[in-house]
Amino acid sequence: MTDQPANNMSLASRAIDWSFLRRGVFAGSIAMSWMWGLGLFFSVHFTFAYGWVGLLSFAVPNALGLVVFGLLLDRRARDGDLRALAETAFAKYPLVFAFYQVAAVALTLFALIAYFLAPLGLTYAAFGGLAVLAVGLLVGEVFGIRRLVSLQAASLVAAVLAATVLLLTGPRHAAVPHEALGLPFAGFVVPLTIGLLLGPFFDIQQWQRAVEQQRQGVSVAQSFALGGLAFFLLLLVNGALAMTLTGGLEASAFTGADGILHAQPAITAALSGPGGAALFLYGIWVLLCVLTTFDSAQAGLSWFVPSVSKSSNNALLAMLPPGLLTSTLPLLGIAAVIGLAAWYAGGRLEYFMILYASLFVAYSANLAYDLYRGTEFRTLSPITLFCGLVSMLIISVGYFETAPLLMMVGSLIALFPLGLEAAGDAGAKLPKPGATRAKDRAAGKPERGSPSGRDMAVLERAAAAGPVVDAPVAAAADHALVTGSHDGRFDGKWFEVKLTATYSDTNSVGNIYFANYVAWVGKTRELFFRNCMPGFDLKQTPFYILTRSFTHKFIREAKEFDEIVVRLKIGKFNRKFVHLEHKLFDGAQNLLGEGEQSLMFVHSDDYSLIDIPNDVVTAFTPHV
């Protein structure tokens, strides 16, 4: 009797330790996969130019970006499946995700050749870089994300050990920061801070890790918080190498033809003379950091490319061979060509950075905002691309003309589309409960009642005689009864109904008839209203709810006896209209389709448009 509590405590203790260990393993993988060409070599430049102040200005927002990303995805993980969320994001912005990953691989390959292999005097530096890339891609293909996470955590230990031995035994010089030539420190601060904070949001590698963490029951927020801390420590180690190994080097040795300091290869230059053990240890550090970028890219793209090709309705893609559509080689080949071309053309790492501080910021800021709001991802207007391109142009001019103010202004222009969206949301909030009721009393109008989904069929008949037409979603649902339907339940902000497709739902070729997907959404909407507003009285209601618009995108087909999960929630809203968003999944959590609908509210006597009734506000607010 007395031993049982102790045994239970021991089991609980072991479970807690195992959970912490898994978070730690993921943290190591996050840190190493994020230690790509930018963090590895630009932190050397910033430390060489500005000392510890420069390093911290680079390291702090970079690490915080991982933490913020993890917090927002953890928040969305509570509402549903992160894999489905990721695939929806991929389908919404396929070109941005692909371009981001291609640029990351190209940047890292370029930096490896330009700042490590070429300064060593290797005749075939480009071939060496391609060989490292090939090894990384092979590892990513063979291991996959689940085993890759553990391998990268082990790589972190080996890399830090090599760097620590190098710090203790390598050549030492007095740490003397050099003032960067041609471009003041202030010009980098704002673009770097914004770009690094938003960096992870279009990185497929980090999305894949978040999905895997949810699958294994590991906290996404805690894993990315630990990953951000581990990455911050990696940058400090890299900065310490730059401070201790490059102190005796002159800044003039790294001044380019453009008159600007480019000290990314400073550590390699400091060790290329003595060579031997010190250079070998630094080579381990560099190669492990680079390889964990390449293998992560392969694993991430192996997930991303098939997902996008399956969800795409592009007719041109349908003409290509299936093997080509699901292969990562075209994107990785483009990345290799860009990286080699940038090196042969005498490019600089800063040129890549401008892209990440401008064009990608315009999209990342909006994606992060949608994750924060908990809404579906919006289709961004052309102004987002326009502002991103203008931002890139202005930052480029500021960089080459040594005008820090232009660089700051250019980076802020990339946030302009987000400002427009946030301002629109601030002016389109649901009225406070009681506001509409007081307005009606002052105007002598009857107070609003509480509508229910059960009045939808009545509204359809009434709308046929009036100026406003109600979409027959609810009526279609009544004529498409589905075996095994439930009354539904709330899962966070989502209202979920599970159905089982039967023979009566199929068409002549055995697939589910397309109209039934819409009917299932209509049934879910009715049950959603019944759960929110059970006290509706059709005889006394002074208003009707009409369907203003309805859209649905078909992604996959279902078949007989498939379990269908319909999820619906409140999306955008203002004083007049409420937008509902929906998703349909099969039993394996594959996304079948998604869409949205807009609801409007009218007087029951003359069908005049009214504000959202007070009781609707009261019923909907807990689920916004």
Side-chain angles (χ1 to χ4, degrees):
M1 297 292 293
T2 57
D3 291 337
Q4 188 65 31
N7 291 336
N8 289 341
M9 183 176 296
S10 177
L11 290 173
S13 176
R14 285 198 293 270
I16 293 174
D17 291 341
W18 174 244
S19 176
F20 179 78
L21 178 61
R22 285 192 295 172
R23 290 195 297 270
V25 170
F26 271 110
S29 177
I30 291 168
M32 288 299 287
S33 66
W34 199 234
M35 193 69 175
W36 47 312
L38 188 59
L40 184 61
F41 292 105
F42 195 74
S43 58
V44 172
H45 167 78
F46 243 43
T47 305
F48 183 85
Y50 307 111
W52 287 107
V53 173
L55 176 66
L56 292 176
S57 68
F58 177 83
V60 171
N62 214 341
L64 283 179
L66 290 172
V67 177
V68 173
F69 177 79
L71 288 173
L72 293 183
L73 256 65
D74 186 80
R75 183 177 180 181
R76 294 299 294 267
R78 301 169 194 166
D79 294 336
D81 182 36
L82 278 183
R83 183 182 180 89
L85 179 70
E87 291 182 347
T88 302
F90 295 164
K92 204 73 170 181
Y93 313 114
L95 293 179
V96 183
F97 274 103
F99 187 28
Y100 187 103
Q101 206 63 53
V102 165
V105 174
L107 181 157
T108 305
L109 176 63
F110 160 79
L112 172 66
I113 298 173
Y115 304 134
F116 180 68
L117 297 177
L120 294 178
L122 298 181
T123 305
Y124 302 104
F127 290 101
L130 290 176
V132 175
L133 174 62
V135 171
L137 299 183
L138 178 62
V139 172
E141 180 66 24
V142 172
F143 280 78
I145 185 60
R146 296 178 185 177
R147 290 182 294 171
L148 199 60
V149 167
S150 301
L151 179 63
Q152 290 178 342
S155 299
L156 181 143
V157 176
V160 171
L161 179 61
T164 302
V165 174
L166 177 58
L167 282 172
L168 296 176
T169 62
R172 306 179 66 85
H173 301 277
V176 181
H178 302 77
E179 181 66 27
L181 303 178
L183 187 66
F185 173 70
F188 283 110
V189 173
V190 176
L192 273 179
T193 301
I194 296 175
L196 295 175
L197 280 174
L198 296 171
F201 285 93
F202 271 101
D203 189 75
I204 300 171
Q205 303 174 157
Q206 306 311 330
W207 277 89
Q208 190 177 32
R209 279 161 181 74
V211 170
E212 185 64 19
Q213 287 157 21
Q214 187 187 47
R215 191 192 70 82
Q216 295 188 20
V218 177
S219 169
V220 177
Q222 294 177 15
S223 297
F224 273 89
L226 290 173
L229 177 61
F231 177 69
F232 180 75
L233 295 177
L234 286 179
L235 288 180
L236 291 186
V237 170
N238 208 38
L241 289 173
M243 290 292 286
T244 58
L245 301 178
T246 66
L249 300 177
E250 294 294 333
S252 57
F254 304 103
T255 303
D258 53 10
I260 298 176
L261 182 68
H262 302 283
Q264 288 87 346
I267 296 180
T268 307
L271 297 178
S272 59
L279 183 60
F280 175 75
L281 291 171
Y282 184 62
I284 293 176
W285 166 257
V286 169
L287 292 177
L288 285 177
C289 291
V290 169
L291 283 171
T292 50
T293 297
F294 292 151
D295 57 26
S296 293
Q298 171 62 26
L301 288 173
S302 295
W303 170 44
F304 166 79
V305 174
S307 172
V308 171
S309 63
K310 288 179 182 179
S311 62
S312 175
N313 296 321
N314 191 302
L316 294 178
L317 292 180
M319 300 172 62
L320 298 176
L324 183 61
L325 288 177
T326 57
S327 174
T328 63
L329 290 180
L331 290 178
L332 292 169
I334 293 172
V337 170
I338 294 175
L340 291 175
W343 177 61
Y344 278 114
R348 304 292 184 180
L349 187 60
E350 290 87 342
Y351 305 166
F352 285 95
M353 288 182 56
I354 291 173
L355 180 67
Y356 284 93
S358 56
L359 182 61
F360 287 126
V361 164
Y363 286 94
S364 298
N366 284 276
L367 181 63
Y369 184 56
D370 286 342
L371 288 171
Y372 170 74
R373 292 190 308 167
T375 60
E376 294 303 315
F377 302 120
R378 293 164 290 117
T379 300
L380 300 180
S381 65
I383 195 174
T384 304
L385 176 61
F386 176 76
C387 289
L389 293 175
V390 171
S391 171
M392 184 167 60
L393 176 63
I394 294 178
I395 293 177
S396 300
V397 173
Y399 175 78
F400 289 108
E401 296 298 326
T402 65
L405 184 59
L406 279 181
M407 295 183 67
M408 296 180 189
V409 172
S411 62
L412 294 176
I413 289 177
L415 298 176
F416 181 71
L418 173 63
L420 290 179
E421 181 66 23
D425 288 345
K429 296 181 178 179
L430 280 172
K432 296 180 179 180
T436 305
R437 188 181 300 273
K439 180 180 178 181
D440 290 341
R441 284 175 178 170
K445 297 179 181 179
E447 294 183 0
R448 295 345 186 206
S450 298
S452 165
R454 290 195 298 269
D455 70 339
M456 290 297 120
V458 177
L459 296 182
E460 182 190 7
R461 293 192 295 270
V468 182
V469 180
D470 179 26
V473 175
D478 289 337
H479 291 290
L481 298 178
V482 183
T483 303
S485 62
H486 298 168
D487 288 338
R489 67 182 183 88
F490 278 99
D491 179 14
K493 297 179 181 180
W494 289 94
F495 181 76
E496 181 179 281
V497 171
K498 293 184 178 181
L499 314 163
T500 302
T502 60
Y503 179 77
S504 62
D505 302 312
T506 61
N507 56 22
S508 59
V509 296
N511 296 323
I512 301 301
Y513 186 56
F514 79 96
N516 284 328
Y517 296 98
V518 180
W520 293 336
V521 175
K523 179 177 286 292
T524 302
R525 186 179 78 172
E526 291 192 62
L527 294 174
F528 170 77
F529 280 128
R530 189 180 71 174
N531 276 268
C532 289
M533 298 167 288
F536 168 72
D537 186 348
L538 180 60
K539 296 180 180 180
Q540 297 183 10
T541 179
F543 67 91
Y544 293 142
I545 304 177
L546 306 182
T547 304
R548 180 169 171 252
S549 64
F550 182 93
T551 61
H552 180 80
K553 179 182 178 182
F554 297 92
I555 297 176
R556 288 185 177 91
E557 291 184 333
K559 58 183 182 299
E560 185 182 5
F561 299 130
D562 275 356
E563 182 185 71
I564 308 297
V565 179
V566 187
R567 309 193 79 199
L568 182 144
K569 72 171 183 177
I570 300 171
K572 295 182 180 180
F573 45 79
N574 53 34
R575 295 189 65 86
K576 299 290 185 183
F577 309 114
V578 174
H579 295 265
L580 302 180
E581 300 167 356
H582 66 264
K583 290 177 177 290
L584 288 85
F585 301 90
D586 61 16
Q589 289 298 307
N590 294 313
L591 183 64
L592 301 177
E594 61 184 353
E596 63 181 9
Q597 55 189 289
S598 176
L599 306 180
M600 61 191 299
F601 305 84
V602 299
H603 274 298
S604 58
D605 52 358
D606 59 1
Y607 284 88
S608 60
L609 186 65
I610 61 174
D611 288 347
I612 301 176
N614 179 68
D615 288 330
V616 174
V617 174
T618 304
F620 279 14
T621 298
H623 308 294
V624 173

